[in-house]
Amino acid sequence: FLYFIDRSMMVASSGTLVVALAVVATVVACSGVEVTVPSFTDSPTPFPHFWKRCFGSGHARLALRADWQDQLREMREELGIERVRFHGIFDDDMSVVLDSVGNYEFFNVDQVYKPMVKMGVKPIVELSFMPALLAGCNPYKQNGRDCPTVMHYNGIVTPPTNFSQWTDLVQNFAQHLVDVFGVEEVRTWHFEVWNELWGMPYPTQYLQLYDASRAAIKAVDSQLQIGGPVTMQCQYISEFVSDRAGQFDFVSTHLYPTDPNCTAPGNRGDIDCFANTIKKARSQAPANMPFFVTEYNAGLFRPELLYSSYAAAFIFRNVPLLSNVIDIWSYWTFTDIFEESGMHGAPFAGFNYGIQTNRGIKKPVYRAFELLNGIGNKRVATTVTYAGAAPPVNATITAFTVIPDAGTLDNLAAHVFVSNFAPEDYPIATTNVTVAVPGTTCAGNSAAVWTIDAQNANAYAAWEALGSPSYPTDTQLAFIKNQSVVRPRQVAVTAGASPGSCNVALELLPYSAVRIDVSRM
């Protein structure tokens, strides 16, 4: 089916992605799309797993929770997560600056980082937000200047009254980390200065904060890594690179596909605007310098997109586009244990962006990352054709092929990933796809196919089918979690059109993410 989608009307319902339209939708079925893998061995290229190098979380205090730690531990095992980034390590609820300026307590800091490090997960340390005593304001909005704050948890976003006090805080903080975890460990961490210029306009106030932070970090150890500008919408990268040339160890920024970069009038028309905007931003930074996108997901302020297979298909489309372009791609966030708009009880409620709910229900995008985990580090050429010709402009079917590392899965030839994705205001159709792979003994063989779409791995639909309970019982939770699992099915392999070729025929619904495991034939 071909959906022309009104951005404000999209909801998920009862196992299907339902689109409420202001006009009658055009319904079309597409066929004649072929994904071809010419060889499993010719000219493989590096395929770094940049997508699992970091995931985001809300703010630091959440990391003290046992359920947060349990979910992180599970993600380490199932998704291979390597780092976590969150706001607010200096927030007053972390009790870092107590009683007076210069009086520091790092007990809660240790309780945040020690379990992570024990799991083998490193932090990207966002140096934020401003302790009230350094800000010179009253967080309780009485008897003095009110603190400008963000989020339900009231992170203070204002410069310090004295930047030397900020330098002292950051230096003592970094020295404590080195004392507790050792300098060799902390050298593998990354320190970001602030978040999205909140209350710190570029250039003056932000660069003052950056300079004070860098001086503090480097005073502890010159090999500790610090960078910026940590901007939204890929802003100010070229300016920061020029203004602080040679004074950063990495460049970081944020981008969401729902940002004006890709949705404002005049910016539409490129189905891959998200990836292309990141590529342009990356070109503004030194080629030999690590480049991080430390916040993204499939739709900021659009949680309904993140509940559905839309987000999974978004990942499968963008992974090959950004491979060998960026070094860290940090999905916002890894859990709905999250308090930007308060802690909501219902599994699917509020502006929660996690790949799993507060009770550990896995959303389709979690399953996409699960299918990406444990695959090889090399990919081979893969082509997509529409009726024998090059794909049309803004074609929705894309594919890439990864071969297993030597000695890991002897009978497995490759993982072929196929997605049917377009941003929500682009047309998309149910599409018949033929995957053509090398093989000489097609008959009698089958391929294992994992599918994430409206009908498979759809936890949201399972929750709705139970009446959308705000506080599911244990039995209901078990049912929803079971429905969230992505399971393989065996699809028959048939002889291809040319000798030495075998075919796997698939039907991809809109917003599908599929992995096909092909054995040696």
Side-chain angles (χ1 to χ4, degrees):
F1 299 94
L2 186 62
Y3 297 121
F4 291 93
I5 297 176
D6 178 342
R7 293 171 58 82
S8 65
M9 304 287 284
M10 185 170 172
V11 295
S13 177
S14 302
T16 60
L17 192 64
V18 176
V19 184
L21 301 176
V23 296
V24 177
T26 302
V27 181
V28 179
C30 293
S31 61
V33 177
E34 183 167 288
V35 172
T36 304
V37 185
S39 170
F40 293 140
T41 57
D42 288 353
S43 304
T45 57
F47 186 63
H49 295 186
F50 64 97
W51 63 85
K52 68 180 182 183
R53 289 177 179 162
C54 189
F55 283 78
S57 181
H59 64 121
R61 188 170 177 82
L62 296 173
L64 299 173
R65 295 174 56 120
D67 52 358
W68 187 98
Q69 294 176 14
D70 289 344
Q71 289 192 12
L72 179 63
R73 186 176 297 105
E74 185 178 38
M75 281 186 58
R76 175 65 177 162
E77 295 170 356
E78 293 185 353
L79 307 188
I81 181 174
E82 297 176 5
R83 295 173 182 83
V84 173
R85 170 190 175 271
F86 41 73
H87 306 315
I89 197 66
F90 295 148
D91 281 356
D92 288 319
D93 63 9
M94 287 294 293
S95 300
V96 172
V97 181
L98 290 178
D99 304 327
S100 62
V101 173
N103 178 19
Y104 308 124
E105 294 289 349
F106 297 118
F107 178 80
N108 280 341
V109 168
D110 290 349
Q111 303 314 303
V112 165
Y113 291 142
K114 280 184 176 180
M116 292 171 53
V117 172
K118 186 176 181 181
M119 295 176 207
V121 177
K122 302 177 186 297
I124 289 184
V125 182
E126 180 191 297
L127 299 174
S128 71
F129 290 111
M130 194 60 61
L133 286 171
L134 271 66
C137 61
N138 191 308
Y140 304 105
K141 302 185 183 302
Q142 59 185 350
N143 302 324
R145 183 171 74 90
D146 289 351
C147 293
T149 62
V150 294
M151 307 306 175
H152 179 80
Y153 55 84
N154 291 325
I156 298 173
V157 288
T158 189
T161 57
N162 186 326
F163 278 93
S164 66
Q165 294 175 353
W166 174 263
T167 301
D168 188 68
L169 166 62
V170 174
Q171 184 170 339
N172 276 272
F173 169 70
Q175 185 62 61
H176 178 81
L177 297 178
V178 167
D179 292 343
V180 171
F181 298 100
V183 69
E184 294 299 327
E185 169 65 24
V186 181
R187 283 174 178 171
T188 67
W189 300 8
H190 299 85
F191 294 85
E192 282 189 321
V193 180
W194 213 248
N195 180 70
E196 295 188 348
L197 308 182
W198 290 351
M200 302 282 180
Y202 195 93
T204 304
Q205 290 177 324
Y206 179 76
L207 291 181
Q208 281 183 283
L209 190 77
Y210 181 83
D211 292 343
S213 303
R214 183 177 185 275
I217 292 292
K218 297 298 185 180
V220 173
D221 183 82
S222 63
Q223 296 183 54
L224 298 185
Q225 301 177 72
I226 188 167
V230 206
T231 47
M232 66 178 183
Q233 300 168 12
C234 296
Q235 295 174 348
Y236 297 111
I237 293 172
S238 60
E239 293 89 341
F240 175 76
V241 167
S242 175
D243 291 339
R244 289 300 177 266
Q247 298 179 52
F248 53 86
D249 300 298
F250 60 89
V251 175
S252 65
T253 190
H254 302 164
L255 185 69
Y256 294 86
T258 46
D259 283 343
N261 310 62
C262 296
T263 59
N267 290 351
R268 300 180 184 180
D270 175 10
I271 198 171
D272 290 316
C273 175
F274 175 78
N276 289 333
T277 301
I278 291 175
K279 290 177 181 180
K280 180 179 178 180
R282 206 280 169 254
S283 71
Q284 297 170 356
N288 63 346
M289 190 67 63
F291 189 88
F292 304 162
V293 176
T294 53
E295 277 190 32
Y296 82 97
N297 59 38
L300 189 63
F301 306 126
R302 300 299 306 279
E304 73 278 9
L305 300 181
L306 311 185
Y307 301 159
S308 75
S309 62
Y310 180 97
F314 169 85
I315 295 300
F316 277 19
R317 183 172 185 110
N318 282 283
V319 160
L321 295 174
L322 294 174
S323 179
N324 296 298
V325 174
I326 57 179
D327 299 281
I328 285 178
W329 199 37
S330 182
Y331 191 98
W332 187 257
T333 60
F334 85 77
T335 176
D336 284 348
I337 299 171
F338 187 75
E339 291 184 319
E340 287 194 352
S341 61
M343 187 69 72
H344 296 270
F348 300 94
F351 286 120
N352 290 333
Y353 305 112
I355 65 174
Q356 59 188 314
T357 72
N358 50 6
R359 292 173 175 82
I361 298 168
K362 306 316 190 249
K363 301 177 189 178
V365 68
Y366 186 105
R367 300 307 182 188
F369 287 120
E370 189 174 36
L371 292 179
L372 285 166
N373 190 40
I375 63 174
N377 292 280
K378 299 282 187 181
R379 67 172 172 165
V380 292
T382 306
T383 61
V384 178
T385 57
Y386 278 62
V393 173
N394 292 337
T396 65
I397 301 296
T398 56
F400 63 99
T401 303
V402 181
I403 57 175
D405 295 334
T408 54
L409 296 166
D410 291 338
N411 194 46
L412 181 71
H415 306 284
V416 183
F417 293 85
V418 186
S419 64
N420 187 10
F421 176 82
E424 54 178 316
D425 49 0
Y426 288 72
I428 189 168
T430 294
T431 304
N432 296 316
V433 177
T434 299
V435 180
V437 298
T440 56
T441 55
C442 311
N445 280 301
S446 63
V449 177
W450 282 261
T451 301
I452 303 170
D453 61 16
Q455 299 173 0
N456 297 277
N458 191 338
Y460 184 82
W463 176 69
E464 279 202 322
L466 295 174
S468 306
S470 293
Y471 296 92
T473 66
D474 288 347
T475 300
Q476 290 174 325
L477 275 175
F479 171 76
I480 298 168
K481 289 182 178 181
N482 181 63
Q483 294 300 302
S484 81
V485 175
V486 57
R487 295 179 173 88
R489 60 189 174 92
Q490 296 298 316
V491 175
V493 175
T494 59
S498 58
S501 175
C502 298
N503 289 349
V504 180
L506 303 171
E507 181 183 72
L508 270 65
L509 299 179
Y511 315 115
S512 295
V514 177
R515 190 182 93 180
I516 306 104
D517 284 7
V518 182
S519 298
R520 302 184 191 282
M521 293 178 284

